Amino acid sequence: MSIVLSDLQLLLDAAELGSFSQAAAKRGWTQPQVSQRIAQLESSLGARLFSRHRRGAEPTAACLAFLPAARTALEALADGREQLGVGQGLPKLKLACLPSLAGVIFGPLLRKLADAPLEIRCDTDHSPQILQQLLAGTLDVGFVLQRPALSGIAQEALGESPIVAVVCATHPLAGERGLSLRELAAHPLAPQRWGDAAEDLVRRLRPLRQSDSPIHLLQPATAARDLALWHGYVAFVPRLAVREELAQGLLHELDLAEPELGRWRVVMAWRGGKRRDVAKETALTAARQLAQDWRAA
């Protein structure tokens, strides 16, 4: 005999109240109706669930052992109903990226997916944690900087971006050509911490400064960008992170006599599998289109 889920809630109520009469009153039923439903449940489970007595009903050891499973079943049903009620049952997709990639990835990607029949949840974290979430299946797609290959995780390079020095359009260095690091070091500096090469850059810049003023490495790239935009700093950031500000003329990329300072290598990662996931494939395709936009800019 099958078990009716509503009888599981009746079981929980009767066990909590210790009385069939009170469980009946909670529903507007009669006490015999509750007794009959509990008896049917006992028959289905093949176990006695209550010891009946004049003062009420006491859960048996078998009942107490079964209650956690009953709660879990009811919670799963409630969660399923909630998912159906939110977004009319649209598939959910969870994305994560490094904090410095949030402005580069999330806004443009969601614009491309604006008409897609899915709901997206976006979050930020560090690369190792993002990859672990992918392995655990709690995340669908991650965007990180290039990482060593990891079994079970597919990785696809989306693009590379050189590290550039930028200033606001009114900065004294804007428009100058062939600038050396020494000339840059005479100004407030805001390097974004894009990797080990950022630490090397700071070590090169520090002895070139005319004072002992500190050089702070910043995360995310937007923090360094804002210092350049509004506070007269020279910011060292991936070009991709400030492409909109450069295109609008809000920031100016400095012409350096130095060789390339470093590169940002953006990688898309997801957990492979034989089962097709249309929602995930839709997001992967949109991310590849976004990478094409980067290359065309």
Side-chain angles (χ1 to χ4, degrees):
M1 185 183 296
S2 62
I3 295 175
V4 180
L5 285 173
S6 60
D7 285 348
L8 295 182
Q9 186 60 59
L10 177 63
L11 171 67
L12 294 177
D13 291 343
E16 179 182 348
L17 297 170
S19 167
F20 287 0
S21 296
Q22 292 185 42
K26 186 175 180 179
R27 286 168 171 70
W29 293 0
T30 64
Q31 189 270 342
Q33 285 178 301
V34 172
S35 296
Q36 182 183 18
R37 298 288 287 271
I38 293 294
Q40 291 174 351
L41 188 58
E42 288 177 322
S43 177
S44 298
L45 294 172
R48 189 182 182 202
L49 299 175
F50 290 93
S51 297
R52 282 82 164 169
H53 50 75
R54 289 183 179 180
R55 289 173 297 178
E58 183 178 350
T60 63
C63 179
L64 294 175
F66 180 69
L67 289 180
R71 290 191 185 93
T72 299
L74 291 169
E75 289 170 357
L77 176 63
D79 183 64
R81 284 174 172 166
E82 182 181 353
Q83 294 302 318
L84 287 174
V86 177
Q88 294 78 49
L90 292 175
K92 308 295 187 293
L93 203 65
K94 294 182 180 179
L95 311 181
C97 72
L98 292 172
S100 286
L101 284 170
V104 175
I105 296 287
F106 287 155
L109 186 61
L110 264 61
R111 285 198 297 270
K112 290 187 176 296
L113 294 170
D115 297 325
L118 55 89
E119 287 191 345
I120 298 176
R121 303 289 186 267
C122 298
D123 204 351
T124 60
D125 211 332
H126 299 295
S127 294
Q129 284 72 28
I130 289 175
L131 295 178
Q132 287 302 315
Q133 291 176 60
L134 290 171
L135 281 173
T138 58
L139 187 67
D140 296 299
V141 183
F143 300 91
V144 299
L145 298 186
Q146 188 170 29
R147 306 286 297 178
L150 185 62
S151 178
I153 298 297
Q155 297 189 41
E156 180 179 329
L158 290 181
E160 293 189 358
S161 178
I163 305 301
V164 297
V166 297
V167 295
C168 68
T170 58
H171 194 280
L173 294 180
E176 297 291 329
R177 301 188 61 81
L179 290 166
S180 66
L181 289 184
R182 182 176 297 278
E183 290 173 290
L184 270 59
H187 298 268
L189 303 175
Q192 185 246 331
R193 192 177 185 279
W194 71 86
D196 292 340
E199 301 279 1
D200 294 336
L201 176 62
V202 170
R203 282 192 287 269
R204 293 175 60 196
L205 287 167
R206 188 169 286 119
L208 301 177
R209 292 177 70 74
Q210 298 174 356
S211 67
D212 293 332
S213 57
I215 302 175
H216 304 292
L217 280 168
L218 307 174
Q219 281 284 31
T222 51
R225 177 206 64 191
D226 287 350
L227 287 173
L229 273 173
W230 313 115
H231 302 288
Y233 277 70
V234 177
F236 297 86
V237 292
R239 183 185 290 147
L240 186 59
V242 292
R243 62 192 295 261
E244 295 293 338
E245 290 80 4
L246 290 172
Q248 295 174 29
L250 299 174
L251 288 177
H252 181 88
E253 181 178 334
L254 297 179
D255 179 69
L256 301 183
E258 299 288 325
E260 186 176 279
L261 299 173
R263 281 191 170 265
W264 224 29
R265 293 179 173 86
V266 181
V267 173
M268 175 170 62
W270 68 97
R271 185 177 179 178
K274 296 180 180 179
R275 182 179 176 183
R276 188 184 181 195
D277 188 328
V278 176
K280 184 187 295 185
E281 290 177 3
T282 300
L284 297 178
T285 299
R288 294 182 183 113
Q289 294 171 351
L290 182 60
Q292 292 177 356
D293 294 345
W294 296 345
R295 291 189 286 271

